[in-house]
Amino acid sequence: MLAQSETVEELLDQDQEPDEAAAKQVKAILYGCTEYGLRVEPNAIDELITLYSGHQMAVKTLVAAEDGSYWYEVEVSVSGISYCGYVPAEYVLCNAVDNLDTIGYENRGGVPFSLMAEDGEYSEEPVENGALEEQPELVMELDSVARLAADDFEASIAGFPESYKASLRTLHAAHPNWVFVPQITNIDWNTFIEAEMSPERSLVPRSMDDAYKGKQPWAYQNGDYVGLSGYNWVQASQEAVEFYADPRNGLTEDRIFQFELLTHNETYQTEAGVEAIINGTFMSHAIMADDVVTYAQAFCLAGRQANVSPYMLAARVRQEQGAGTSPLISGLYPGYENLYNFFNIGAYGSTETEIWVNGLNRARENGWTSRYNSIAGGASVLSGNYISKGQDTLYLQKFDVDDSYYGLFSHQYMQNILGAYNEGNTAYRAYSNIGILDNSFVFKIPVYRNMPINAVPQPGVSKYNEAEIKAFINRLYQNILTREADESGLYFWYNRLTVDGATAAAVTANFVFSQEFENQNVSDDVFVERMYLTMMNRSSDASGKAYWLDVLNSGFSRRYVLAKFVSSQEFTNVCNSYGVVKGAVDLREARDKYPGITGFVTRLYQTALHRRPEVDGLNYWVQCIGTKQKTPYFAAEQIVRSQEFRNYNYSNDEYVTILYRVFFDREPDGAGKQYWLNRMSAGTSREEVLRYFAYSEEFKAIATSYGL
């Protein structure tokens, strides 16, 4: 199994010795804040360097400030430069309880623990530290942090983008003790992926589907994939790299452990757990041929010595050695007898022979002349060169996005892009088998700038043009709400358009009728102008705007106007340009469903009552007429008979004039008006006069003009 990511481009400094002192330091990460300026002294204003969530720190001591606050003195490295300063205790999270005990005295169950001396060795006697003994709650043990996260989970994941949170909520519901820490990389996603596409940096087995294999000129020649680091390994396609590099694709129960912190924690990392990981392999319950310990015992001893998870060590060897037949661990390869390299460290090359020779030469250089020495030595390399240098998760050993010591992208342990996922999955299955999934685990999960809105799909699965859909959503924010899109909104509406299958029309309607837009209380004039900008991609013309303002004045809703803009060819063109499905706006009110009747009823209100109809009244009469419950003539009669109409106290002269306007759509002629005044003087009631007007041929003609 391919492991070591060493190439001609220098993916690992072969001459570098493992940093054993660094491996023995108490390691912690910045937690509970997005960023923090490392202080020169407790409570100082001056900052040495800005640290971001998830950054690894070496803890030196705990200090009580004059104001009663507690601070950890820590050492950090940023871009290869070391800094020593202070961070508030509440922002320092250690993965291992036993590690925390080495920086202070705590009497737990009557058993004293020792303090790590400055030279990295452990003292024989405990050193009393009243701060930790009197204020144990200040010790950010993993279990206590898990409890804090469980109490206010939403606050604990606030540093993650919205696209992470749904999966994290699901995991939290199943495992409340799990702690999720965002690793703020400040790396642009596209820059990261471009770096990963360098030759030989990201490989896949040749046996994988073609969608996972790259066709770059240097990786695909004469119609075949070029074998890199051995015939069985070829360059990964960009789609494959993006899929496995996207942390959101790892936020499931069986994939999350690629983000597990890999420091040693003997509270749950047991020999039985290691046996579960190597079960079914050549190492299962087996004693090493040249040692007196079993493989499980060897991993536990090596892990404790190097301050690294024995589970990770066991899973790594399981992945690298498979059936256990490699010459790298046989001790029998000609010229390299009694040499072992269980982690395939330095085992790189273009042929199998070259891989074996390079790996065994590394074993000779390091004196790995027994199986145990190889495992212990490999653990030291992993800890001293990776885990204690910021690359403290499986993911970070494949994708080097931590610049603490070695810069970015090139210092990676694995070329196989499936490596971190596979080893994490092995750990998950082992944890499940031994029943510790509900323990407290810390998962450090990278976050990048300018990430795709949703998790990258598997290679070969079609995906939307994200840039165009984001641009469409942004135009809605800018043109309708007159502001830039926020991250959560962009994520939500992107999902509605892509995952949920919402149409552009439906999403636009949600913006137009949102509470935020309604709170702006814009005039009809402004509303129409924003519809032009959003739906037609231009400012209004004078005649067009006048038409739509008249439509609104005629009693139609803004939803009706929006529906008409959506049906336009201009909006069709807009949707096509952004690659979104247009759809249509559903009309919900009677006044919008029966446009002819709406115009008719609105005219009645305006001529009889001298006002625009109220929405409820308009919808009532339109619904009654539209569903044939009432006739148009009955509606006209009722409006004229209404109390509101009677409240005007019209004279007979005024009354007749109003009837002419309502039912004949004209001013009365002199003779006609006098005729009706004479009739009324002779005793004809207003009701009789009204009925004549309502059922006249002239009013029938008006009703017909509205489609009635």
Side-chain angles (χ1 to χ4, degrees):
M1 176 65 70
L2 183 72
Q4 192 66 28
S5 181
E6 298 175 298
T7 70
V8 293
E9 293 200 337
E10 208 308 275
L11 300 184
L12 176 66
D13 182 1
Q14 298 182 31
D15 297 325
Q16 181 179 335
E17 291 297 324
D19 191 339
E20 295 183 2
K24 290 183 178 180
Q25 291 175 329
V26 177
K27 296 297 183 180
I29 59 175
L30 189 68
Y31 169 79
C33 59
T34 302
E35 62 182 65
Y36 189 81
L38 185 67
R39 299 302 198 264
V40 295
E41 295 288 346
N43 288 320
I45 297 176
D46 294 337
E47 301 178 4
L48 294 168
I49 190 77
T50 299
L51 303 178
Y52 294 90
S53 176
H55 196 97
Q56 189 184 83
M57 303 176 284
V59 176
K60 298 172 72 67
T61 188
L62 181 68
V63 175
E66 292 182 358
D67 64 354
S69 61
Y70 286 88
W71 298 69
Y72 279 114
E73 182 184 10
V74 299
E75 185 176 352
V76 300
S77 178
V78 179
S79 300
I81 301 175
S82 293
Y83 301 87
C84 189
Y86 294 84
V87 177
E90 62 265 28
Y91 293 154
V92 180
L93 168 61
C94 289
N95 184 32
V97 173
D98 54 313
N99 280 350
L100 281 165
D101 294 328
T102 66
I103 60 171
Y105 175 77
E106 180 183 8
N107 194 316
R108 182 148 40 94
V111 181
F113 291 79
S114 59
L115 177 73
M116 179 182 287
E118 292 183 356
D119 62 1
E121 298 296 325
Y122 290 91
S123 61
E124 293 293 328
E125 298 296 328
V127 177
E128 296 201 8
N129 184 322
L132 287 181
E133 187 174 14
E134 295 171 11
Q135 302 282 346
E137 68 274 10
L138 292 173
V139 181
M140 292 295 280
E141 296 179 357
L142 174 53
D143 288 338
S144 65
V145 172
R147 287 193 294 273
L148 288 174
D151 291 341
D152 194 354
F153 177 70
E154 288 301 318
S156 75
I157 63 170
F160 285 100
E162 287 298 318
S163 55
Y164 286 65
K165 291 180 180 178
S167 297
L168 294 177
R169 291 179 184 119
T170 299
L171 290 170
H172 172 71
H175 304 285
N177 291 325
W178 289 5
V179 179
F180 308 103
V181 180
Q183 180 193 357
I184 308 299
T185 66
N186 288 314
I187 298 171
D188 177 78
W189 170 262
N190 293 320
T191 300
F192 166 45
I193 296 302
E194 182 179 356
E196 282 300 320
M197 293 308 297
S198 294
E200 301 190 54
R201 186 163 288 168
S202 295
L203 308 183
V204 293
R206 180 181 287 274
S207 59
M208 294 194 74
D209 186 90
D210 283 356
Y212 290 79
K213 295 182 282 190
K215 289 190 176 182
Q216 295 85 345
W218 43 267
Y220 188 75
Q221 300 172 11
N222 300 321
D224 192 16
Y225 297 95
V226 178
L228 301 172
S229 293
Y231 176 80
N232 291 325
W233 295 92
V234 298
Q235 176 68 26
S237 66
Q238 181 165 325
E239 292 77 8
V241 171
E242 289 182 346
F243 176 74
Y244 284 100
D246 192 333
R248 294 166 297 186
N249 287 321
L251 302 184
T252 60
E253 189 170 86
D254 60 337
R255 297 179 179 180
I256 188 71
F257 284 92
Q258 62 186 295
F259 306 115
E260 178 196 2
L261 281 183
L262 297 177
T263 46
H264 185 253
N265 191 330
E266 65 182 14
T267 59
Y268 67 86
Q269 293 166 354
T270 64
E271 183 179 332
V274 175
E275 281 290 0
I277 290 174
I278 60 178
N279 183 49
T281 71
F282 67 96
M283 300 177 285
S284 180
H285 299 285
I287 295 177
M288 294 181 174
D290 49 359
D291 296 290
V292 296
V293 295
T294 65
Y295 280 97
Q297 291 170 330
F299 287 124
C300 288
L301 290 170
R304 185 179 301 114
Q305 182 181 33
N307 191 21
V308 62
S309 165
Y311 290 175
M312 184 276 293
L313 298 177
R316 178 67 50 83
V317 171
R318 176 173 183 144
Q319 168 148 321
E320 300 305 332
Q321 299 306 333
T325 58
S326 168
L328 287 164
I329 61 171
S330 69
L332 302 174
Y333 194 77
Y336 296 89
E337 290 83 1
N338 299 317
L339 291 172
Y340 303 87
N341 189 339
F342 271 79
F343 293 97
N344 289 353
I345 295 174
Y348 64 95
S350 57
T351 66
E352 286 187 334
T353 298
E354 188 177 359
I355 292 171
W356 296 336
V357 169
N358 284 337
L360 290 171
N361 277 328
R362 179 63 69 87
R364 176 174 287 162
E365 293 168 7
N366 287 282
W368 296 339
T369 56
S370 74
R371 289 172 173 81
Y372 177 76
N373 283 344
S374 172
I375 289 174
S380 179
V381 169
L382 286 172
S383 182
N385 289 349
Y386 291 92
I387 296 171
S388 68
K389 294 299 181 69
Q391 293 175 260
D392 48 8
T393 69
L394 294 170
Y395 179 95
L396 293 176
Q397 291 175 32
K398 169 60 195 96
F399 300 109
D400 175 17
V401 292
D402 180 280
D403 69 343
S404 297
Y405 291 89
Y406 304 116
L408 293 170
F409 310 131
S410 63
H411 188 260
Q412 54 187 36
Y413 187 86
M414 313 171 196
Q415 289 168 287
N416 180 7
I417 64 170
L418 287 77
Y421 163 72
N422 287 341
E423 290 187 38
N425 181 257
T426 297
Y428 160 74
R429 287 186 281 106
Y431 295 167
S432 179
N433 289 339
I434 60 179
I436 64 170
L437 282 180
D438 289 328
N439 281 24
S440 297
F441 290 97
V442 173
F443 301 101
K444 189 168 85 170
I445 307 166
V447 173
Y448 302 93
R449 290 188 289 107
N450 302 318
M451 295 182 72
I453 290 218
N454 274 338
V456 175
Q458 284 187 296
V461 177
S462 61
K463 57 183 177 181
Y464 293 91
N465 188 320
E466 181 177 308
E468 292 183 355
I469 294 177
K470 286 169 64 176
F472 175 78
I473 297 169
N474 271 313
R475 71 179 280 111
L476 298 182
Y477 273 95
Q478 293 163 354
N479 293 339
I480 297 174
L481 303 181
T482 64
R483 68 175 176 86
E484 294 300 316
D486 56 276
E487 182 213 351
S488 61
L490 194 60
Y491 168 71
F492 176 81
W493 292 116
Y494 182 89
N495 273 340
R496 291 284 290 119
L497 285 165
T498 58
V499 178
D500 300 335
T503 64
V507 171
T508 303
N510 274 278
F511 274 78
V512 172
F513 303 111
S514 66
Q515 190 62 54
E516 180 177 350
F517 182 71
E518 290 184 8
N519 289 344
Q520 294 183 17
N521 196 29
V522 301
S523 64
D524 285 346
D525 185 280
V526 172
F527 172 79
V528 171
E529 191 63 38
R530 292 192 189 179
M531 292 303 97
Y532 269 95
L533 289 173
T534 305
M535 319 302 286
M536 294 188 173
N537 205 29
R538 64 177 175 87
S539 298
S540 65
D541 57 279
S543 61
K545 175 179 268 190
Y547 169 80
W548 290 113
L549 289 175
D550 185 62
V551 168
L552 290 169
N553 285 327
S554 298
F556 294 93
S557 73
R558 289 183 173 184
R559 191 175 191 89
Y560 176 83
V561 173
L562 173 64
K564 292 301 181 182
F565 271 89
V566 164
S567 66
S568 68
Q569 184 59 49
E570 288 93 335
F571 189 60
T572 300
N573 296 339
V574 167
C575 292
N576 289 342
S577 69
Y578 288 102
V580 292
V581 178
K582 185 176 81 167
V585 172
D586 60 313
L587 298 176
R588 302 172 180 177
E589 298 179 68
R591 59 175 171 159
D592 296 330
K593 294 178 180 179
Y594 303 101
I597 302 175
T598 296
F600 173 80
V601 174
T602 297
R603 179 187 172 280
L604 292 178
Y605 270 81
Q606 291 173 333
T607 54
L609 303 179
H610 312 296
R611 67 174 175 85
R612 292 173 60 177
E614 76 282 359
V615 173
D616 289 344
L618 178 60
N619 277 322
Y620 171 77
W621 286 114
V622 171
Q623 180 73 16
C624 287
I625 297 171
T627 57
K628 309 298 184 184
Q629 298 176 52
K630 310 288 184 184
T631 67
Y633 316 108
F634 177 82
E637 284 187 275
Q638 292 303 109
I639 288 173
V640 173
R641 289 173 177 169
S642 68
Q643 185 61 52
E644 181 178 350
F645 184 86
R646 292 198 298 269
N647 288 342
Y648 281 105
N649 294 317
Y650 291 124
S651 65
N652 284 346
D653 184 281
E654 293 170 325
Y655 180 76
V656 171
T657 299
I658 293 296
L659 294 185
Y660 266 89
R661 292 171 181 169
V662 173
F663 296 99
F664 291 174
D665 197 25
R666 62 181 173 86
E667 294 298 313
D669 59 281
K673 182 178 184 180
Q674 191 60 49
Y675 169 80
W676 290 110
L677 289 174
N678 291 339
R679 288 279 304 269
M680 295 172 72
S681 296
T684 302
S685 69
R686 287 189 175 188
E687 293 293 324
E688 290 182 76
V689 175
L690 171 61
R691 181 167 294 275
Y692 171 83
F693 274 82
Y695 289 94
S696 68
E697 290 300 321
E698 285 185 76
F699 189 55
K700 287 182 180 178
I702 291 174
T704 300
S705 72
Y706 284 96
L708 301 176

Coordinates of all heavy atoms in Angstrom, one line a residue, residues 36-40 44-50:
Y36 N -7.6 34.5 18.0 CA -7.2 35.1 19.2 C -5.8 35.6 19.0 O -4.9 34.9 18.5 CB -7.3 34.2 20.4 CG -7.0 34.9 21.7 CD1 -8.0 35.7 22.3 CD2 -5.8 35.0 22.3 CE1 -7.8 36.4 23.5 CE2 -5.5 35.7 23.5 CZ -6.5 36.4 24.1 OH -6.3 37.1 25.2
G37 N -5.5 36.8 19.5 CA -4.1 37.4 19.4 C -3.3 36.9 20.6 O -3.6 37.2 21.7
L38 N -2.2 36.2 20.3 CA -1.3 35.7 21.3 C -0.8 36.9 22.1 O -0.1 37.7 21.5 CB -0.2 34.8 20.7 CG 0.7 34.1 21.7 CD1 0.0 33.0 22.5 CD2 1.9 33.5 20.9
R39 N -1.0 36.9 23.4 CA -0.5 38.0 24.2 C 0.9 37.9 24.7 O 1.3 36.8 25.0 CB -1.5 38.2 25.4 CG -2.9 38.5 25.1 CD -3.1 39.7 24.2 NE -4.4 40.2 24.2 CZ -5.3 40.0 23.3 NH1 -5.0 39.2 22.2 NH2 -6.6 40.5 23.3
V40 N 1.6 39.0 24.9 CA 2.9 39.0 25.4 C 2.9 38.7 26.9 O 3.9 38.1 27.5 CB 3.7 40.3 25.1 CG1 3.8 40.5 23.6 CG2 2.9 41.5 25.7
A44 N -2.4 41.4 28.6 CA -1.7 42.5 27.9 C -2.5 42.8 26.6 O -3.3 42.0 26.1 CB -0.3 42.0 27.5
I45 N -2.4 44.1 26.2 CA -3.0 44.5 25.0 C -2.2 44.1 23.8 O -2.7 43.7 22.7 CB -3.2 46.1 25.0 CG1 -4.1 46.5 26.1 CG2 -3.7 46.6 23.6 CD1 -4.3 48.0 26.3
D46 N -0.9 44.1 23.9 CA 0.0 43.8 22.8 C -0.1 42.4 22.4 O -0.1 41.5 23.2 CB 1.5 44.1 23.1 CG 1.7 45.6 23.4 OD1 0.9 46.4 22.8 OD2 2.7 46.0 24.1
E47 N -0.1 42.1 21.1 CA -0.3 40.8 20.5 C 1.0 40.4 19.7 O 1.6 41.2 19.0 CB -1.5 40.7 19.6 CG -2.8 41.0 20.3 CD -4.0 41.0 19.3 OE1 -3.8 40.6 18.1 OE2 -5.1 41.3 19.8
L48 N 1.4 39.2 19.8 CA 2.5 38.7 19.1 C 2.2 38.2 17.7 O 2.9 38.5 16.7 CB 3.2 37.5 19.9 CG 3.8 37.9 21.2 CD1 4.2 36.6 22.0 CD2 5.1 38.7 21.0
I49 N 1.1 37.5 17.6 CA 0.6 36.9 16.3 C -0.8 36.5 16.5 O -1.3 36.2 17.6 CB 1.5 35.7 15.9 CG1 1.2 35.2 14.5 CG2 1.3 34.5 16.9 CD1 1.8 36.1 13.5
T50 N -1.6 36.5 15.4 CA -3.0 36.1 15.5 C -3.1 34.6 15.2 O -2.5 34.1 14.3 CB -3.8 36.8 14.4 OG1 -3.8 38.2 14.7 CG2 -5.3 36.3 14.5

